[in-house]
Amino acid sequence: MTVLEQPGAYRPTPPPGWQPRVEAAPLLPDAEPYRLLGTAAAADISPDLLTRLHRELVRGRRYNTQATALTRQGRLAVYPSSTGQEACQVAAGLVLEDRDWLFPSYRDTLAAVVRGLDPVDALTLLRGDWHSGYDPHEHRVAPLCTPLATQLPHAVGLAHAARLKGDDVVALALVGDGGTSEGDFHEALNFAAVWHAPVVFLVQNNGFAISVPLAKQTAAPSLAHKAVGYGMPGRLVDGNDVAAVHQVLAEAVRRARGGGGPTLVEAVTYRIDAHTNADDATRYRPDSEVEAWQAHDPIALLEDAMRDRRLLDDEGVRAARESAERLAADLRTRMHQDAVLDPMELFEHVYADRTGQLREQAAQLRAELDAEAGDSGKGE
Amino acid sequence: MTTAIGADTARKPATMAQALGRALRDAMAADPSVHVLGEDVGTLGGVFRITDGLAKEFGEDRCTDTPLAEAGILGTAVGMAMYGLRPVVEMQFDAFAYPSFEQLISHVSRMRNRTRGAMPMPITVRVPYGGGIGGVEHHSDSSEIYYMATPGLHVVAPATVADAYGLLRAAIASDDPVIFLEPKRLYWSKADWSADAPEQVPPIGRAVVRRPATGGRQSATLISYGPSVPVCLEAAEAARAEGWDLEVVDLRSLVPFDDDTVCASVRRTGRAVVVHEATGFGGPGGEIAARVTERCFHHLEAPVLRVAGFDIPYPPPMLERHHLPGVDRVLDAVARLQWESEWTEGSAV
Ligand SMILES: Cc1ncc(C[n+]2csc(CCOP(=O)(O)OP(=O)(O)O)c2C)c(N)n1
């Protein structure tokens, strides 16, 4: 028998003065992901909210398929699709007040668009023109973040700063299941809990980090369980149930705004498409798994629930689809125009004031461009 | 049929990516202490398929999909090395290695020194690096200077298919940590390649003259490594039309630095241009130019020039061609080697 196996050996008498700091139990997530659609409680959700969620879900799906098509046409360098995860994206995009901040990762373009970003501006990173095509302050959306989990401490810092200034601003930070393994995830959650920062962390657990399944990512009972160790509540929710995700996030946001500190939410969902258009998902997962999840589609779940409550009919579905087609058409038209980029802008915004060095290099590039233009002029 | 690069293909044309995969396979077959670990290296075979087939052939204990945590990957590799294994770590892209820098700089690079030689770190860190593949932000960095500035690390970068194989074998066999920079835009470059030819297993720290000068009147040495070597070779061809006789030195290894080969070349030609993708200011070229100047001052007909990426964060793919040093920029530098004193008087470009 090892020391750890001896009954009681691991539970020494507490030292004098030891007090439990918090009741552990309220922090623990439920064993099962929280579902709302199809339950009796769903009757309380406002029809307006459901209609809004539905419209955004349908538009979001269309946005994903259109963006994926644009990669095939060479108009986007890469697109990490959120097809199948639209419920998380829509809920995250709608749940915040204007003054709040969203901290997305590279897969979260849709959440940013739902929050109000221009769909084309949201894609510049992935198109390859500029790293970020929008001013983060305009809609309070931080730049889409590619290095995993590195945006999480930013969210904590921003929320902390807002609180120091007396503003009741909440930050919602998005991360994937894989990203929860990074050190930055740990540091962000720990800071948030210690500082009692008004932050909500939403983990979209879509089953895979590129090819690596959750079982190889973590041995935790759920990612929501990780919250307990930091001293914040963990909530587990069905990530394809848009009403449930919205409700859980809304509660967490309310709690944060009211001074209750951070929450970790794990939404259990699935990445229907490959990691990006460059990935071959057949190498690491069977089609049958994808099909099983397609049977749990976020749009179908919501439409069924809404039809049950007579909040949606064929006409309503058609209206949402038309709105989605308009979005897609607009995206297509504008993305089919070549981006006009001025190479001289390479030297903009490296520093507030251009250094002498960069002025020299700009002059060099200017001369090269002029020579190029001269050469091509000669040929005509 | 277990690996994409079976023994039967050893003498056939291969890509650099295949040569790297074969080097890993051969090293694992030759030495059971060689373990591969990283993100997506197992089932998927890596996002560039370099490790394709290794998990199947050697088992998941020797080619392991890790949790997604670069500091964790390199940190556990330290412990594995402490216990006698030879970890080969894959960092998925250049800019994603940064979370591991704490382990790299605080431990990997100085463990031998801290332990007065008792605890070597035979770790190879493979880093797909550099631009030119249209990657979005954080997928194109040239981070060699950070590694070069850290004593205790070897830093190598192959430019040919054969060197990719040979240098990776040498890196894995090395009892010191090696940062193995894989120029990703050369992954798909092809060559007739035989893994058996002994000259294709260069020791770490040996540069090579890729293209000798032929004794022409206006001669110069182009010094480069990794993805810039093909650029220099092309420039050397093009420069013939201008009457220039250019020698191209491929460093292969930045640390240790082969002063002998480089300086012998510069003494022959009398002029030198260093070419690399990394930013120029505080970049590798500054160190190289200083060394050449210190050792060959009396042989130089002109100052050592540098052709480098601009001193800007790596640009978006639509503009990267303006950032990356290409043939024209190298030729411009060569033209400036016709040293005239007025050039110093404020005409610096
Ligand atoms: C620090 C860092 N390491 C590696 C990568 C490369 N990479 C991009 S996405 C990805 C998988 C992410 O999985 P997950 O966090 O589950 O998010 P998902 O893609 O499933 O939304 C990896 C390894 C990265 N972007 N950043």
Side-chain angles (χ1 to χ4, degrees), chain A residues 125 127-131 146-148 178 181-182 209-212 216-217 283 341 343 346 357-358 361 364 368-369, chain B residues 40 43-44 49 52 60 65 67-70 92 136-139 281 310-312 314-319 322 329:
Chain A
L125 168 75
R127 167 149 81 166
D129 43 7
W130 289 109
H131 297 316
T146 307
L148 295 164
S181 296
E182 291 281 2
I210 306 189
S211 69
V212 179
K216 283 192 186 177
Q217 201 65 245
R283 279 184 163 243
L341 270 69
L346 287 176
Q357 240 162 267
L358 288 185
Q361 293 173 16
Q364 180 190 343
E368 287 176 10
L369 293 169
Chain B
D40 302 287
T43 310
L44 190 68
R49 304 287 185 269
D52 201 9
E60 291 190 9
D65 277 334
L68 216 169
E70 293 74 13
Q92 203 157 71
V136 297
E137 196 183 11
H138 302 290
H139 290 77
F281 190 81
F310 292 129
D311 298 316
I312 59 175
Y314 197 88
M318 283 186 186
L319 291 177
H322 297 290
R329 226 168 261 169

Short mmCIF file of all heavy atoms in Angstrom, two decimals, chain A residues 125 127-131 146-148 178 181-182 209-212 216-217 283 341 343 346 357-358 361 364 368-369, chain B residues 40 43-44 49 52 60 65 67-70 92 136-139 281 310-312 314-319 322 329:
data_model
loop_
_atom_site.label_atom_id
_atom_site.label_comp_id
_atom_site.label_asym_id
_atom_site.label_seq_id
_atom_site.Cartn_x
_atom_site.Cartn_y
_atom_site.Cartn_z
N LEU A 125 -7.62 39.87 -41.00
CA LEU A 125 -6.54 39.01 -40.51
C LEU A 125 -6.46 37.74 -41.34
O LEU A 125 -5.39 37.29 -41.74
CB LEU A 125 -6.77 38.66 -39.03
CG LEU A 125 -5.88 37.55 -38.46
CD1 LEU A 125 -4.46 38.04 -38.22
CD2 LEU A 125 -6.44 36.98 -37.17
N ARG A 127 -7.85 37.23 -44.30
CA ARG A 127 -7.66 37.47 -45.71
C ARG A 127 -6.18 37.70 -46.00
O ARG A 127 -5.68 37.33 -47.04
CB ARG A 127 -8.47 38.70 -46.14
CG ARG A 127 -8.10 39.21 -47.51
CD ARG A 127 -9.26 39.83 -48.23
NE ARG A 127 -9.51 41.19 -47.81
CZ ARG A 127 -10.31 42.02 -48.50
NH1 ARG A 127 -10.89 41.60 -49.59
NH2 ARG A 127 -10.52 43.23 -48.09
N GLY A 128 -5.50 38.33 -45.04
CA GLY A 128 -4.07 38.55 -45.24
C GLY A 128 -3.71 39.97 -45.59
O GLY A 128 -2.61 40.24 -46.01
N ASP A 129 -4.68 40.91 -45.42
CA ASP A 129 -4.24 42.28 -45.69
C ASP A 129 -3.68 42.93 -44.42
O ASP A 129 -2.49 43.08 -44.30
CB ASP A 129 -5.25 43.13 -46.46
CG ASP A 129 -6.69 43.00 -46.00
OD1 ASP A 129 -6.92 42.36 -44.99
OD2 ASP A 129 -7.57 43.56 -46.67
N TRP A 130 -4.53 43.22 -43.44
CA TRP A 130 -3.93 43.74 -42.21
C TRP A 130 -4.21 42.80 -41.05
O TRP A 130 -5.17 42.03 -41.07
CB TRP A 130 -4.41 45.17 -41.90
CG TRP A 130 -3.81 46.11 -42.89
CD1 TRP A 130 -4.45 46.76 -43.90
CD2 TRP A 130 -2.42 46.44 -43.02
NE1 TRP A 130 -3.56 47.49 -44.65
CE2 TRP A 130 -2.30 47.32 -44.14
CE3 TRP A 130 -1.25 46.09 -42.32
CZ2 TRP A 130 -1.07 47.84 -44.55
CZ3 TRP A 130 -0.04 46.61 -42.73
CH2 TRP A 130 0.05 47.47 -43.84
N HIS A 131 -3.35 42.87 -40.03
CA HIS A 131 -3.49 41.94 -38.92
C HIS A 131 -4.81 42.15 -38.20
O HIS A 131 -5.40 41.23 -37.66
CB HIS A 131 -2.33 42.09 -37.93
CG HIS A 131 -1.00 41.76 -38.54
ND1 HIS A 131 -0.81 40.67 -39.33
CD2 HIS A 131 0.20 42.38 -38.47
CE1 HIS A 131 0.46 40.62 -39.72
NE2 HIS A 131 1.09 41.65 -39.22
N THR A 146 -4.31 35.12 -32.20
CA THR A 146 -3.85 33.83 -32.74
C THR A 146 -3.06 32.99 -31.74
O THR A 146 -3.33 31.80 -31.60
CB THR A 146 -3.04 34.04 -34.03
OG1 THR A 146 -3.81 34.82 -34.93
CG2 THR A 146 -2.72 32.72 -34.69
N PRO A 147 -2.07 33.55 -31.04
CA PRO A 147 -1.38 32.71 -30.04
C PRO A 147 -2.38 32.31 -28.96
O PRO A 147 -3.09 33.15 -28.42
CB PRO A 147 -0.30 33.62 -29.48
CG PRO A 147 -0.14 34.71 -30.49
CD PRO A 147 -1.48 34.90 -31.11
N LEU A 148 -2.44 31.04 -28.66
CA LEU A 148 -3.54 30.53 -27.84
C LEU A 148 -3.47 31.00 -26.39
O LEU A 148 -2.41 30.95 -25.76
CB LEU A 148 -3.54 29.01 -27.88
CG LEU A 148 -3.86 28.49 -29.28
CD1 LEU A 148 -3.47 27.02 -29.40
CD2 LEU A 148 -5.31 28.69 -29.61
N GLY A 178 -8.32 23.33 -26.27
CA GLY A 178 -6.87 23.17 -26.30
C GLY A 178 -6.17 24.30 -25.55
O GLY A 178 -5.21 24.08 -24.81
N SER A 181 -4.90 24.41 -21.88
CA SER A 181 -3.67 23.77 -21.41
C SER A 181 -2.51 24.74 -21.28
O SER A 181 -1.50 24.43 -20.65
CB SER A 181 -3.25 22.64 -22.37
OG SER A 181 -4.22 21.63 -22.39
N GLU A 182 -2.64 25.88 -21.93
CA GLU A 182 -1.54 26.84 -21.91
C GLU A 182 -1.37 27.46 -20.53
O GLU A 182 -2.36 27.68 -19.80
CB GLU A 182 -1.79 27.97 -22.93
CG GLU A 182 -1.72 27.54 -24.38
CD GLU A 182 -0.29 27.39 -24.89
OE1 GLU A 182 0.68 27.59 -24.10
OE2 GLU A 182 -0.14 27.07 -26.08
N ALA A 209 -8.34 20.01 -30.43
CA ALA A 209 -7.37 21.07 -30.70
C ALA A 209 -6.62 20.58 -31.94
O ALA A 209 -5.81 19.66 -31.84
CB ALA A 209 -6.43 21.27 -29.54
N ILE A 210 -6.92 21.16 -33.07
CA ILE A 210 -6.55 20.59 -34.37
C ILE A 210 -6.88 19.10 -34.35
O ILE A 210 -8.06 18.74 -34.39
CB ILE A 210 -5.08 20.88 -34.77
CG1 ILE A 210 -4.82 22.41 -34.70
CG2 ILE A 210 -4.84 20.40 -36.21
CD1 ILE A 210 -3.49 22.87 -35.28
N SER A 211 -5.88 18.22 -34.16
CA SER A 211 -6.17 16.78 -34.24
C SER A 211 -6.30 16.13 -32.86
O SER A 211 -6.62 14.95 -32.76
CB SER A 211 -5.04 16.08 -34.99
OG SER A 211 -3.85 16.10 -34.22
N VAL A 212 -6.01 16.89 -31.81
CA VAL A 212 -5.87 16.26 -30.49
C VAL A 212 -7.21 16.30 -29.75
O VAL A 212 -7.74 17.37 -29.48
CB VAL A 212 -4.76 16.95 -29.67
CG1 VAL A 212 -4.64 16.32 -28.29
CG2 VAL A 212 -3.43 16.87 -30.41
N LYS A 216 -6.84 13.72 -24.60
CA LYS A 216 -5.39 13.88 -24.57
C LYS A 216 -4.99 15.28 -24.12
O LYS A 216 -3.81 15.61 -24.04
CB LYS A 216 -4.80 13.63 -25.96
CG LYS A 216 -4.72 12.17 -26.33
CD LYS A 216 -3.86 12.03 -27.57
CE LYS A 216 -3.86 10.59 -28.06
NZ LYS A 216 -3.09 10.48 -29.31
N GLN A 217 -5.99 16.11 -23.90
CA GLN A 217 -5.72 17.50 -23.50
C GLN A 217 -5.78 17.65 -22.00
O GLN A 217 -5.03 18.41 -21.40
CB GLN A 217 -6.77 18.41 -24.16
CG GLN A 217 -6.39 19.84 -24.27
CD GLN A 217 -5.22 20.05 -25.19
OE1 GLN A 217 -4.16 20.47 -24.74
NE2 GLN A 217 -5.37 19.73 -26.47
N ARG A 283 -8.28 12.45 -40.95
CA ARG A 283 -7.13 11.77 -40.37
C ARG A 283 -7.33 11.43 -38.90
O ARG A 283 -6.64 10.60 -38.35
CB ARG A 283 -5.88 12.64 -40.49
CG ARG A 283 -5.24 12.56 -41.84
CD ARG A 283 -3.95 13.37 -41.86
NE ARG A 283 -3.15 12.96 -43.00
CZ ARG A 283 -1.95 12.40 -42.91
NH1 ARG A 283 -1.38 12.20 -41.74
NH2 ARG A 283 -1.29 12.05 -44.00
N LEU A 341 -3.82 47.79 -51.18
CA LEU A 341 -2.88 47.99 -50.09
C LEU A 341 -1.72 48.85 -50.56
O LEU A 341 -1.20 48.64 -51.66
CB LEU A 341 -2.32 46.63 -49.63
CG LEU A 341 -3.09 45.91 -48.54
CD1 LEU A 341 -4.42 45.42 -49.05
CD2 LEU A 341 -2.27 44.75 -48.02
N PRO A 343 2.00 49.48 -50.01
CA PRO A 343 3.16 48.89 -49.32
C PRO A 343 3.85 49.88 -48.38
O PRO A 343 4.46 49.48 -47.39
CB PRO A 343 4.09 48.48 -50.46
CG PRO A 343 3.24 48.38 -51.67
CD PRO A 343 2.10 49.34 -51.47
N LEU A 346 3.66 49.75 -44.64
CA LEU A 346 4.45 48.84 -43.80
C LEU A 346 5.14 49.59 -42.66
O LEU A 346 5.38 49.04 -41.60
CB LEU A 346 5.53 48.14 -44.63
CG LEU A 346 5.06 47.05 -45.59
CD1 LEU A 346 6.23 46.54 -46.42
CD2 LEU A 346 4.44 45.90 -44.82
N GLN A 357 15.58 55.19 -38.62
CA GLN A 357 15.81 53.93 -39.31
C GLN A 357 14.67 53.58 -40.26
O GLN A 357 14.88 53.18 -41.38
CB GLN A 357 15.80 52.84 -38.26
CG GLN A 357 17.03 52.04 -38.10
CD GLN A 357 16.91 51.37 -36.74
OE1 GLN A 357 17.39 51.91 -35.76
NE2 GLN A 357 16.22 50.26 -36.70
N LEU A 358 13.46 53.72 -39.74
CA LEU A 358 12.32 53.36 -40.57
C LEU A 358 12.12 54.36 -41.70
O LEU A 358 11.64 54.00 -42.77
CB LEU A 358 11.05 53.22 -39.71
CG LEU A 358 11.01 52.00 -38.81
CD1 LEU A 358 9.67 51.89 -38.09
CD2 LEU A 358 11.27 50.70 -39.58
N GLN A 361 14.37 53.17 -44.37
CA GLN A 361 13.86 51.97 -45.03
C GLN A 361 12.66 52.29 -45.90
O GLN A 361 12.47 51.70 -46.96
CB GLN A 361 13.54 50.89 -43.98
CG GLN A 361 14.83 50.39 -43.32
CD GLN A 361 14.58 49.44 -42.15
OE1 GLN A 361 13.51 48.90 -41.99
NE2 GLN A 361 15.63 49.25 -41.35
N GLN A 364 13.94 53.60 -49.07
CA GLN A 364 14.43 52.49 -49.90
C GLN A 364 13.27 51.82 -50.64
O GLN A 364 13.33 51.61 -51.86
CB GLN A 364 15.15 51.47 -49.03
CG GLN A 364 15.70 50.29 -49.82
CD GLN A 364 16.19 49.17 -48.92
OE1 GLN A 364 16.42 49.36 -47.73
NE2 GLN A 364 16.33 47.99 -49.48
N GLU A 368 12.31 51.55 -54.66
CA GLU A 368 12.07 50.26 -55.32
C GLU A 368 10.73 50.27 -56.05
O GLU A 368 10.62 49.79 -57.18
CB GLU A 368 12.08 49.12 -54.30
CG GLU A 368 13.47 48.79 -53.78
CD GLU A 368 13.42 47.71 -52.69
OE1 GLU A 368 12.35 47.09 -52.49
OE2 GLU A 368 14.45 47.49 -52.05
N LEU A 369 9.71 50.82 -55.38
CA LEU A 369 8.38 50.83 -55.98
C LEU A 369 8.36 51.72 -57.22
O LEU A 369 7.76 51.39 -58.24
CB LEU A 369 7.34 51.29 -54.97
CG LEU A 369 7.11 50.34 -53.78
CD1 LEU A 369 6.26 51.01 -52.71
CD2 LEU A 369 6.45 49.03 -54.24
N ASP B 40 0.03 17.81 -32.09
CA ASP B 40 -0.43 17.19 -33.34
C ASP B 40 0.63 16.34 -34.04
O ASP B 40 0.49 16.03 -35.22
CB ASP B 40 -0.97 18.25 -34.32
CG ASP B 40 -2.11 19.06 -33.73
OD1 ASP B 40 -3.21 18.51 -33.60
OD2 ASP B 40 -1.88 20.23 -33.36
N THR B 43 -1.14 11.38 -34.28
CA THR B 43 -2.16 10.96 -35.24
C THR B 43 -2.11 11.76 -36.54
O THR B 43 -2.19 11.21 -37.63
CB THR B 43 -3.56 11.15 -34.61
OG1 THR B 43 -3.54 10.54 -33.32
CG2 THR B 43 -4.64 10.51 -35.46
N LEU B 44 -1.97 13.05 -36.43
CA LEU B 44 -2.00 13.91 -37.63
C LEU B 44 -0.68 13.87 -38.38
O LEU B 44 -0.63 14.10 -39.58
CB LEU B 44 -2.34 15.35 -37.22
CG LEU B 44 -2.64 16.32 -38.37
CD1 LEU B 44 -3.95 15.93 -39.05
CD2 LEU B 44 -2.72 17.75 -37.87
N ARG B 49 3.13 17.57 -41.62
CA ARG B 49 3.30 16.14 -41.89
C ARG B 49 4.75 15.67 -41.76
O ARG B 49 5.13 14.66 -42.35
CB ARG B 49 2.79 15.76 -43.30
CG ARG B 49 1.36 16.15 -43.55
CD ARG B 49 0.37 15.27 -42.81
NE ARG B 49 -0.99 15.59 -43.18
CZ ARG B 49 -1.75 16.48 -42.54
NH1 ARG B 49 -1.28 17.10 -41.47
NH2 ARG B 49 -2.97 16.74 -42.95
N ASP B 52 4.85 12.38 -39.87
CA ASP B 52 3.85 11.41 -40.36
C ASP B 52 4.37 9.98 -40.22
O ASP B 52 5.48 9.66 -40.65
CB ASP B 52 3.57 11.71 -41.83
CG ASP B 52 2.23 11.14 -42.27
OD1 ASP B 52 1.48 10.66 -41.39
OD2 ASP B 52 1.96 11.16 -43.48
N GLU B 60 2.88 5.49 -29.52
CA GLU B 60 2.57 6.84 -29.04
C GLU B 60 3.44 7.25 -27.86
O GLU B 60 3.48 8.42 -27.50
CB GLU B 60 1.08 6.93 -28.67
CG GLU B 60 0.20 6.85 -29.88
CD GLU B 60 -1.26 7.17 -29.58
OE1 GLU B 60 -1.56 7.63 -28.47
OE2 GLU B 60 -2.08 6.94 -30.49
N ASP B 65 1.49 13.02 -28.89
CA ASP B 65 0.67 14.23 -28.93
C ASP B 65 0.58 14.79 -27.52
O ASP B 65 0.01 14.14 -26.64
CB ASP B 65 -0.76 13.89 -29.39
CG ASP B 65 -0.87 13.80 -30.91
OD1 ASP B 65 -0.06 14.45 -31.60
OD2 ASP B 65 -1.77 13.09 -31.38
N PRO B 67 -0.50 17.76 -24.57
CA PRO B 67 -1.42 18.89 -24.39
C PRO B 67 -0.82 20.15 -25.03
O PRO B 67 0.38 20.21 -25.30
CB PRO B 67 -1.51 19.03 -22.88
CG PRO B 67 -1.21 17.67 -22.35
CD PRO B 67 -0.17 17.12 -23.30
N LEU B 68 -1.69 21.10 -25.24
CA LEU B 68 -1.30 22.29 -26.00
C LEU B 68 -0.62 23.31 -25.10
O LEU B 68 -1.28 24.18 -24.54
CB LEU B 68 -2.59 22.87 -26.60
CG LEU B 68 -2.52 23.49 -27.98
CD1 LEU B 68 -3.91 23.76 -28.48
CD2 LEU B 68 -1.66 24.70 -27.99
N ALA B 69 0.68 23.16 -24.92
CA ALA B 69 1.38 24.03 -23.97
C ALA B 69 2.87 23.95 -24.25
O ALA B 69 3.52 22.98 -23.89
CB ALA B 69 1.08 23.58 -22.55
N GLU B 70 3.38 24.99 -24.88
CA GLU B 70 4.77 24.95 -25.31
C GLU B 70 5.73 24.93 -24.13
O GLU B 70 6.76 24.24 -24.16
CB GLU B 70 5.09 26.13 -26.23
CG GLU B 70 4.35 26.07 -27.58
CD GLU B 70 2.87 26.40 -27.49
OE1 GLU B 70 2.43 26.93 -26.44
OE2 GLU B 70 2.15 26.13 -28.47
N GLN B 92 4.97 24.26 -33.18
CA GLN B 92 4.18 24.20 -34.40
C GLN B 92 4.52 25.29 -35.41
O GLN B 92 4.59 25.05 -36.60
CB GLN B 92 2.70 24.25 -34.05
CG GLN B 92 1.82 23.65 -35.11
CD GLN B 92 0.51 23.20 -34.54
OE1 GLN B 92 -0.32 24.02 -34.17
NE2 GLN B 92 0.30 21.91 -34.46
N VAL B 136 -0.79 33.81 -42.00
CA VAL B 136 -1.31 34.98 -41.29
C VAL B 136 -0.43 35.27 -40.08
O VAL B 136 0.51 34.53 -39.78
CB VAL B 136 -2.78 34.78 -40.86
CG1 VAL B 136 -3.67 34.62 -42.08
CG2 VAL B 136 -2.94 33.61 -39.92
N GLU B 137 -0.77 36.36 -39.40
CA GLU B 137 0.05 36.84 -38.28
C GLU B 137 0.52 35.69 -37.38
O GLU B 137 -0.22 34.74 -37.14
CB GLU B 137 -0.80 37.82 -37.45
CG GLU B 137 0.01 38.67 -36.51
CD GLU B 137 -0.88 39.57 -35.64
OE1 GLU B 137 -2.10 39.38 -35.63
OE2 GLU B 137 -0.32 40.46 -34.98
N HIS B 138 1.73 35.81 -36.88
CA HIS B 138 2.32 34.82 -35.97
C HIS B 138 2.72 33.51 -36.65
O HIS B 138 2.97 32.52 -35.98
CB HIS B 138 1.38 34.49 -34.80
CG HIS B 138 0.98 35.67 -33.99
ND1 HIS B 138 1.85 36.34 -33.17
CD2 HIS B 138 -0.20 36.33 -33.88
CE1 HIS B 138 1.23 37.34 -32.58
NE2 HIS B 138 -0.01 37.36 -33.01
N HIS B 139 2.75 33.48 -37.96
CA HIS B 139 3.14 32.25 -38.66
C HIS B 139 4.37 32.45 -39.53
O HIS B 139 4.65 31.62 -40.39
CB HIS B 139 1.99 31.73 -39.53
CG HIS B 139 0.83 31.18 -38.74
ND1 HIS B 139 -0.08 31.98 -38.12
CD2 HIS B 139 0.46 29.91 -38.46
CE1 HIS B 139 -1.00 31.23 -37.50
NE2 HIS B 139 -0.68 29.96 -37.69
N PHE B 281 18.14 45.49 -37.84
CA PHE B 281 18.69 46.15 -36.66
C PHE B 281 18.73 45.16 -35.50
O PHE B 281 17.72 44.58 -35.12
CB PHE B 281 17.84 47.36 -36.29
CG PHE B 281 18.50 48.22 -35.24
CD1 PHE B 281 19.48 49.13 -35.59
CD2 PHE B 281 18.16 48.08 -33.91
CE1 PHE B 281 20.10 49.91 -34.63
CE2 PHE B 281 18.78 48.85 -32.94
CZ PHE B 281 19.76 49.77 -33.29
N PHE B 310 12.80 44.39 -43.21
CA PHE B 310 12.67 45.71 -42.59
C PHE B 310 12.48 45.55 -41.08
O PHE B 310 12.10 44.48 -40.60
CB PHE B 310 11.47 46.46 -43.17
CG PHE B 310 11.64 46.84 -44.62
CD1 PHE B 310 10.66 46.53 -45.55
CD2 PHE B 310 12.77 47.52 -45.04
CE1 PHE B 310 10.79 46.90 -46.89
CE2 PHE B 310 12.93 47.90 -46.37
CZ PHE B 310 11.94 47.57 -47.30
N ASP B 311 12.70 46.65 -40.37
CA ASP B 311 12.60 46.60 -38.91
C ASP B 311 11.16 46.83 -38.45
O ASP B 311 10.86 47.78 -37.72
CB ASP B 311 13.55 47.65 -38.30
CG ASP B 311 14.98 47.34 -38.66
OD1 ASP B 311 15.37 46.15 -38.57
OD2 ASP B 311 15.74 48.26 -39.02
N ILE B 312 10.31 45.95 -38.91
CA ILE B 312 8.87 46.07 -38.63
C ILE B 312 8.35 44.71 -38.17
O ILE B 312 8.97 43.69 -38.47
CB ILE B 312 8.09 46.51 -39.89
CG1 ILE B 312 8.30 45.49 -41.03
CG2 ILE B 312 8.54 47.89 -40.35
CD1 ILE B 312 7.49 45.78 -42.27
N TYR B 314 6.42 41.38 -38.51
CA TYR B 314 6.22 40.68 -39.78
C TYR B 314 4.89 41.10 -40.40
O TYR B 314 3.85 41.04 -39.75
CB TYR B 314 6.27 39.16 -39.61
CG TYR B 314 6.48 38.49 -40.95
CD1 TYR B 314 7.76 38.27 -41.43
CD2 TYR B 314 5.41 38.16 -41.77
CE1 TYR B 314 7.98 37.71 -42.68
CE2 TYR B 314 5.61 37.60 -43.02
CZ TYR B 314 6.90 37.38 -43.47
OH TYR B 314 7.10 36.84 -44.72
N PRO B 315 4.93 41.54 -41.65
CA PRO B 315 3.71 42.12 -42.25
C PRO B 315 2.71 41.05 -42.66
O PRO B 315 3.04 39.87 -42.72
CB PRO B 315 4.25 42.83 -43.49
CG PRO B 315 5.48 42.10 -43.86
CD PRO B 315 6.07 41.58 -42.58
N PRO B 316 1.48 41.50 -42.98
CA PRO B 316 0.48 40.55 -43.48
C PRO B 316 0.93 39.97 -44.82
O PRO B 316 1.71 40.60 -45.54
CB PRO B 316 -0.78 41.40 -43.63
CG PRO B 316 -0.31 42.80 -43.68
CD PRO B 316 0.96 42.87 -42.92
N PRO B 317 0.43 38.78 -45.15
CA PRO B 317 0.94 38.07 -46.33
C PRO B 317 0.85 38.86 -47.62
O PRO B 317 1.71 38.72 -48.48
CB PRO B 317 0.09 36.80 -46.38
CG PRO B 317 -0.92 36.89 -45.32
CD PRO B 317 -0.51 37.96 -44.38
N MET B 318 -0.20 39.70 -47.75
CA MET B 318 -0.32 40.43 -49.02
C MET B 318 0.84 41.39 -49.24
O MET B 318 1.04 41.87 -50.35
CB MET B 318 -1.64 41.20 -49.06
CG MET B 318 -2.84 40.30 -49.34
SD MET B 318 -4.31 41.29 -49.55
CE MET B 318 -5.54 40.00 -49.67
N LEU B 319 1.57 41.71 -48.19
CA LEU B 319 2.68 42.65 -48.36
C LEU B 319 4.04 42.02 -48.09
O LEU B 319 5.06 42.70 -48.14
CB LEU B 319 2.48 43.86 -47.42
CG LEU B 319 1.33 44.79 -47.77
CD1 LEU B 319 1.19 45.90 -46.73
CD2 LEU B 319 1.54 45.40 -49.16
N HIS B 322 7.23 42.62 -50.18
CA HIS B 322 7.96 43.88 -50.06
C HIS B 322 8.91 43.87 -48.87
O HIS B 322 9.81 44.69 -48.77
CB HIS B 322 6.99 45.05 -49.91
CG HIS B 322 6.12 45.23 -51.11
ND1 HIS B 322 6.59 45.68 -52.32
CD2 HIS B 322 4.80 44.98 -51.29
CE1 HIS B 322 5.60 45.73 -53.19
NE2 HIS B 322 4.50 45.30 -52.59
N ARG B 329 16.97 43.17 -54.24
CA ARG B 329 17.58 43.89 -53.11
C ARG B 329 19.02 43.40 -52.89
O ARG B 329 19.90 44.18 -52.54
CB ARG B 329 16.73 43.67 -51.86
CG ARG B 329 16.50 44.96 -51.11
CD ARG B 329 15.44 44.80 -50.04
NE ARG B 329 14.14 45.28 -50.49
CZ ARG B 329 13.00 45.07 -49.83
NH1 ARG B 329 13.02 44.36 -48.70
NH2 ARG B 329 11.86 45.54 -50.27
#
